[in-house]
Amino acid sequence: MPTVTVNNHQIHYADSHPDGAPADSDSHAHTFIFIHGLGSSQNYYFPILPYLTSQSHRCITLDTYGAARSTYTGDPISIGSIAADVVGVLDALHIANAVVVGHSMGGLVVTLLGAEYPDRVKAVVAIGPTHPSEQLATVMTQRSDIVSTAGMEPMANTIPNGATGPNCPALVRSFIRELLLGQNPQGYAALCRAIATAPAIDYSAVRAPFLLLAGEEDKSASMQGCRHIFDRVSSANKRLEVLEGVGHWHCLEAPEEVGRAIAGFAGGV
């Protein structure tokens, strides 16, 4: 798996078209870059990628610093530093701009990118984005403390059932458990602190085309928070879709719905 070093962080990534978009692709093909959520990895997105690569879109998935294979080395992490790493990856791969896709914590990152790096963002797709709040900060601080002392098993024993919808297959829950157990506890704790200290984002500064996908049964990114974000984004081309019966792990629980929604949205960008 290729790596790139940006901002002193070694980032593992995968690229569906490392030589650029296929020569026979039409002008509607885009480059996508995907930012996963807390306790996850780039593999979270693989079930939806065929819906995009089949339309000649270039898809770049990465493990954020401190998560999965992008080894945590003790540097502080913030939502801003993750956003800067994403821009660094685009620079390293000589990509002028991209459709940025983020889930949960990654939803925070892509809305920040849309607000603060508009020249690098062709469109924003936020999947179950978390909205900074006092309650979120409290929950993330508690998680940071738990994993710092007890490791990842407490998260692996609770999140797969607690954060998914009622129709989520057992196989998906087992994969979520594996994603969680594969995390470095100190990296996970640092990412929890990044969410706890997330800045207030000026959603009105997001003017790029914007798609928000919300899970009807999502207890981690509430419908209230999703609507708060959506209502304040200034884009003239924005869409909110609610996935029935889906919890917080949208791309694993409903890959067909998510893949088709993003592909359809991309066709209008």
Side-chain angles (χ1 to χ4, degrees), residues 38 77-80 82 104-105 108 130-145 187-200:
L38 178 67
I77 308 175
S78 67
I79 299 303
I82 299 172
S104 190
M105 174 190 74
L108 273 170
T130 47
H131 171 60
S133 68
E134 185 176 337
Q135 179 183 9
L136 180 65
T138 298
V139 170
M140 288 297 109
T141 300
Q142 290 172 344
R143 280 197 193 182
S144 175
D145 293 342
Y188 184 93
L191 288 162
C192 285
R193 293 191 293 272
I195 298 171
T197 58

Side-chain angles (χ1 to χ4, degrees), residues 58-242:
R58 180 184 184 183
C59 294
I60 299 163
T61 55
L62 53 85
D63 294 340
T64 61
Y65 168 68
R69 296 164 188 80
S70 293
T71 306
Y72 180 63
T73 57
D75 288 351
I77 308 175
S78 67
I79 299 303
S81 74
I82 299 172
D85 284 350
V86 173
V87 173
V89 171
L90 293 175
D91 287 343
L93 299 180
H94 308 291
I95 297 168
N97 53 44
V99 178
V100 294
V101 183
H103 167 239
S104 190
M105 174 190 74
L108 273 170
V109 175
V110 296
T111 51
L112 183 66
L113 285 166
E116 298 191 357
Y117 297 86
D119 58 322
R120 308 305 300 272
V121 173
K122 187 177 290 185
V124 176
V125 179
I127 306 172
T130 47
H131 171 60
S133 68
E134 185 176 337
Q135 179 183 9
L136 180 65
T138 298
V139 170
M140 288 297 109
T141 300
Q142 290 172 344
R143 280 197 193 182
S144 175
D145 293 342
I146 290 169
V147 300
S148 294
T149 57
M152 292 304 303
E153 192 163 355
M155 300 298 108
N157 288 341
T158 55
I159 290 174
N161 289 316
T164 53
N167 300 321
C168 181
L171 182 61
V172 167
R173 291 189 171 121
S174 68
F175 178 54
I176 295 169
R177 177 177 170 81
E178 183 64 25
L179 285 172
L180 289 160
L181 288 173
Q183 303 298 321
N184 177 321
Q186 299 308 313
Y188 184 93
L191 288 162
C192 285
R193 293 191 293 272
I195 298 171
T197 58
I201 297 171
D202 181 8
Y203 300 122
S204 67
V206 180
R207 297 183 174 85
F210 184 83
L211 172 65
L212 195 156
L213 299 177
E216 181 187 43
E217 303 291 336
D218 193 341
K219 301 178 182 66
S220 301
S222 69
M223 189 61 62
Q224 180 181 6
C226 287
R227 290 195 180 278
H228 178 93
I229 295 168
F230 182 79
D231 289 345
R232 286 159 178 77
V233 165
S234 294
S235 173
N237 175 8
K238 64 179 182 178
R239 186 186 309 171
L240 169 63
E241 295 192 23
V242 180

Side-chain angles (χ1 to χ4, degrees), residues 30-52:
H30 305 301
T31 294
F32 287 75
I33 190 163
F34 297 82
I35 302 93
H36 61 76
L38 178 67
S40 190
S41 82
Q42 61 177 276
N43 291 325
Y44 169 79
Y45 288 109
F46 271 66
I48 72 166
L49 297 187
Y51 295 91
L52 300 170

